Amino acid sequence: MKPFLIKTLRRLSPIRPWFGAVSRDSLRDDAVAGLTNAAIVLPQGVAFAIIAGLPPEYGLFTAIVVCAVAALWGASMVMVSGPTTAISAVVFATLTQFAPAGTETYITLALTLTLMVGVLQFIAGLAGLGGLIAFVSHSVIVGFTAAAALLIGASQIAGSLGIKTEGGGGVFERLHRVVEHIEELNLSAMIVSAVTLVTILILVRIDKRIPAYIVALITGSFTAWLLGGTDVGLRLFEPLSAVVPAVTVPNLSPALLGELFPGAVAVAFVGLLEAISIGKSFALRRGERYDSNQEIIGQGLSNVAGSFLQSYAGSGSFTRSGLNAESGARTPMAAIFAALILFAALFVIAPLVKFVPVAAMATIILYVAWKLVNFVEIRHIVISSRSETLILLATFLTGVFSELDFAILIGVLMSLAVFINKSARPSIGVGAPMQQNGRRVFRNAYAHNLPECPQIANLRIEGPLFFGSVEHVDEKFREVEDRFGAKRSTILNLKGVGKIDLTGADFIAGECRATRARGQDYHIVASHKSSRDALRHLHVTDVVGEDHIHFTKSDAIRHAVDKADDDICRTCRARIFNECASKPAPKDND
């Protein structure tokens, strides 16, 4: 209990290990990176809040509060957190079941959901569940993100065309409403949308560091003014209701918590998948250490803090993190600078929001949704793995035809099913030596068409030997017997077996007894201490015998060759083991 308490206090301490990396030079570099990041998040924060069904200022507050807290307590040196497209989509899909987007009730639900997400993530971090994220297939996020992109795009088509429709519903419902109101198309809105989109496409081709979204909003707003603004039917945004986040208290009624719990789990899960994948990616690229559990705690604390300061759930942003790294950020101070600069900029920007046309912002969101679909990765998954393609399709189709939070559940369950299936089907190899690059190595006799010793079966298991895999292993062992027949000695190499449970141990002991009942011998190669301890603890050693459990396969082969029948050796021309030199050689006229 004491080590856990010490570790917990260390993780929660406001004095962070990265403080030692802060210097005058790093502060200068981090300030420049923070300024660049603040510029890009201004339109992003507004766009993501709209996607989430919240007033624009909530996205900006999230980009301040969540960003600063996650940077302080997180594990990445360059990752920037805040509002993200995927989480915004899940928040919207979750909360529109209970209240219309943008209403006071909806906002209260969003704050409560954010608190629940933060608490769930915080508990997961303290429990050390960071490693479990690795068991979820990357295809889940790819499929989910593509489905979220479709929902986001469908929700913004009407705005970009100047059509006003009801909110809520899935992809096809939203598209159907647009078709029903197609006669309300506004030519001015379409021109504004076209100018905004062309501006983005040109600027991102020139230099990705240019704040393309801000420039696009300016050109779109200027175009709307030239066309006549509201006089030609263009809708403009309402002014920001506040530039300083107010202290809020989420609704903690048990009934509401129960209703929001499934959605909170989905949002928390998506947030952790995003943050950890981004954090690991940049840590690997920069040669830095990364603590997944510390990152989870940082994300949890940032969302808990945000729920009390008019922010909704956030996570790591790949776009902002990539820009942060490219801009020369060296420590998490860059993200903190970005939050401070954005807060100061709100006092200047807030009065200008009322000049932004809805069509321009809708077009930016449509572009964000398009970029959200990773076509390269989808193609890679489809041509590389059938099981991953199935996970991708199941997650995507569930998200399109059902709910996004349910899509995450389906994707996770399918990931675990694929993992369990693979774990239950370890590779079984029949080893034989061959020359490769001037070295004598053991390879699979099946795959390389290598000759087998007529008296010794050299088997190797690659994967866990547990209750779920024993049936598969037994089936493969019987196939080996049918192909090569029963041998005088069997060598079972457990070097590739990471886990042996009681059922696996009973299987080995049963194989040993059956082999010796036929008058044959049985040897085990267990080079790892953990494997030898498991064999001893599960009483396999009592059955096989300590002298028949070897550290190396050479030692096991030597013992097996010593017991080989000399008469058979005299007729054998395979002589595949070096140890065969000690046995009678076949005569030349044999």
Side-chain angles (χ1 to χ4, degrees):
M1 185 63 183
K2 190 174 181 180
F4 173 78
L5 181 60
I6 294 174
K7 183 184 290 187
T8 300
L9 292 175
R10 188 183 298 122
R11 290 189 184 282
L12 298 179
S13 171
I15 302 175
R16 308 306 307 149
W18 59 265
F19 284 2
V22 177
S23 65
R24 181 178 298 177
D25 291 339
S26 74
L27 286 174
R28 182 186 62 248
D29 294 341
D30 288 339
V32 172
L35 178 61
T36 306
N37 232 286
I40 194 176
V41 80
L42 268 167
Q44 270 192 355
V46 173
F48 293 159
I50 294 170
I51 292 172
L54 292 163
E57 60 267 23
Y58 279 75
L60 298 173
F61 294 158
T62 303
I64 295 171
V65 179
V66 171
C67 176
V69 176
L72 182 61
W73 274 283
S76 175
M77 295 294 281
V78 296
M79 187 174 75
V80 181
S81 296
T84 70
T85 320
I87 287 186
S88 299
V90 182
V91 168
F92 178 78
T94 299
L95 298 184
T96 48
Q97 304 173 51
F98 305 105
T103 61
E104 286 298 323
T105 302
Y106 186 94
I107 293 172
T108 300
L109 292 173
L111 297 176
T112 301
L113 181 73
T114 302
L115 176 61
M116 295 175 67
V117 168
V119 171
L120 288 172
Q121 291 175 335
F122 182 73
I123 293 173
L126 291 182
L129 300 182
L132 293 180
I133 300 296
F135 290 98
V136 179
S137 170
H138 175 61
S139 301
V140 174
I141 288 298
V142 176
F144 162 79
T145 305
L150 273 185
L151 179 62
I152 292 166
S155 69
Q156 298 302 314
I157 289 177
S160 67
L161 298 177
I163 299 172
K164 190 169 184 179
T165 63
E166 296 178 8
V171 173
F172 298 106
E173 282 183 82
R174 293 171 182 276
L175 293 177
H176 181 66
R177 291 194 199 110
V178 171
V179 173
E180 284 184 328
H181 294 80
I182 199 68
E183 70 279 357
E184 299 175 13
L185 279 175
N186 186 304
L187 181 60
S188 297
M190 294 174 66
I191 293 173
V192 170
S193 297
V195 170
T196 304
L197 180 61
V198 170
T199 303
I200 294 175
L201 294 177
I202 292 174
L203 292 181
V204 295
R205 288 182 66 86
I206 295 174
D207 192 335
K208 291 183 178 180
R209 291 174 294 182
I210 297 175
Y213 296 160
I214 289 183
V215 178
L217 277 182
I218 293 173
T219 56
S221 301
F222 182 69
T223 303
W225 176 76
L226 288 177
L227 293 172
T230 54
D231 294 337
V232 292
L234 289 173
R235 287 185 294 135
L236 305 179
F237 276 98
E238 296 292 330
L240 296 184
S241 61
V243 294
V244 177
V247 176
T248 53
V249 180
N251 185 344
L252 300 180
S253 68
L256 180 60
L257 296 179
E259 289 181 333
L260 294 179
F261 184 76
V265 172
V267 174
F269 192 76
V270 172
L272 294 185
L273 281 175
E274 282 191 312
I276 292 177
S277 61
I278 294 170
K280 281 185 176 180
S281 174
F282 281 101
L284 184 64
R285 191 181 307 177
R286 294 164 58 92
E288 298 167 347
R289 296 185 62 187
Y290 185 75
D291 184 345
S292 297
N293 291 312
Q294 182 64 52
E295 187 63 62
I296 294 177
I297 288 175
Q299 294 295 320
L301 288 175
S302 68
N303 285 316
V304 169
S307 68
F308 291 97
L309 292 169
Q310 288 187 293
S311 304
Y312 72 98
S315 181
S317 166
F318 193 84
T319 302
R320 293 181 66 196
S321 300
L323 181 64
N324 197 40
E326 290 174 9
S327 302
R330 294 168 59 179
T331 74
M333 280 302 302
I336 295 174
F337 276 131
L340 294 174
I341 293 170
L342 175 60
F343 179 68
L346 284 184
F347 291 92
V348 178
I349 298 298
L352 304 178
V353 172
K354 62 183 179 181
F355 298 109
V356 177
V358 170
M361 184 59 72
T363 301
I364 289 177
I365 297 174
L366 280 170
Y367 178 78
V368 169
W370 171 258
K371 297 296 291 183
L372 202 59
V373 182
N374 193 337
F375 293 101
V376 174
E377 186 62 21
I378 290 173
R379 181 177 181 275
H380 173 68
I381 291 171
V382 170
I383 65 176
S384 301
S385 171
R386 185 179 300 173
S387 61
E388 293 297 321
T389 301
L390 185 61
I391 293 172
L392 170 68
L393 285 174
T395 307
F396 172 74
L397 293 176
T398 304
V400 171
F401 291 101
S402 182
E403 302 292 341
L404 285 178
D405 50 357
F406 187 56
I408 285 290
L409 175 61
I410 293 297
V412 170
L413 290 177
M414 290 199 64
S415 291
L416 294 177
V418 169
F419 169 75
I420 292 171
N421 182 60
K422 289 181 178 179
S423 298
R425 300 176 66 84
S427 174
I428 309 299
V430 179
M434 65 178 290
Q435 291 293 325
Q436 188 174 43
N437 298 326
R439 294 173 55 244
R440 183 178 170 84
V441 295
F442 275 74
R443 292 291 181 262
N444 193 313
Y446 290 7
H448 297 275
N449 196 26
L450 300 174
E452 272 279 291
C453 173
Q455 300 192 69
I456 302 172
N458 184 29
L459 304 176
R460 176 169 176 141
I461 302 176
E462 291 287 344
L465 187 60
F466 70 116
F467 65 90
S469 65
V470 163
E471 182 177 348
H472 172 75
V473 173
D474 180 63
E475 179 184 336
K476 292 300 179 182
F477 276 22
R478 302 295 75 84
E479 288 180 6
V480 171
E481 283 187 6
D482 292 342
R483 179 170 178 174
F484 294 107
K487 302 297 184 79
R488 188 177 184 86
S489 294
T490 297
I491 297 174
L492 178 60
N493 193 332
L494 300 179
K495 187 176 181 180
V497 177
K499 172 69 176 177
I500 303 174
D501 71 354
L502 181 60
T503 306
D506 288 343
F507 173 77
I508 296 174
E511 286 288 295
C512 178
R513 292 190 184 99
T515 301
R516 288 177 177 170
R518 296 193 298 263
Q520 299 158 358
D521 207 0
Y522 201 86
H523 297 267
I524 292 177
V525 178
S527 54
H528 298 302
K529 182 178 182 298
S530 58
S531 297
R532 299 176 73 89
D533 288 346
L535 295 176
R536 189 175 297 109
H537 176 70
L538 297 172
H539 305 291
V540 176
T541 304
D542 297 341
V543 177
V544 179
E546 192 78 48
D547 58 334
H548 280 61
I549 298 179
H550 311 275
F551 280 101
T552 65
K553 73 173 165 288
S554 297
D555 188 45
I557 291 171
R558 179 172 57 80
H559 280 78
V561 169
D562 285 346
K563 296 290 183 68
D565 189 320
D566 288 349
D567 291 337
I568 298 177
C569 288
R570 287 192 181 96
T571 63
C572 176
R573 293 190 176 276
R575 318 288 287 185
I576 67 170
F577 302 122
N578 290 332
E579 291 77 6
C580 292
S582 65
K583 305 298 288 184
K587 296 179 181 180
D588 291 339
N589 59 356
D590 285 348

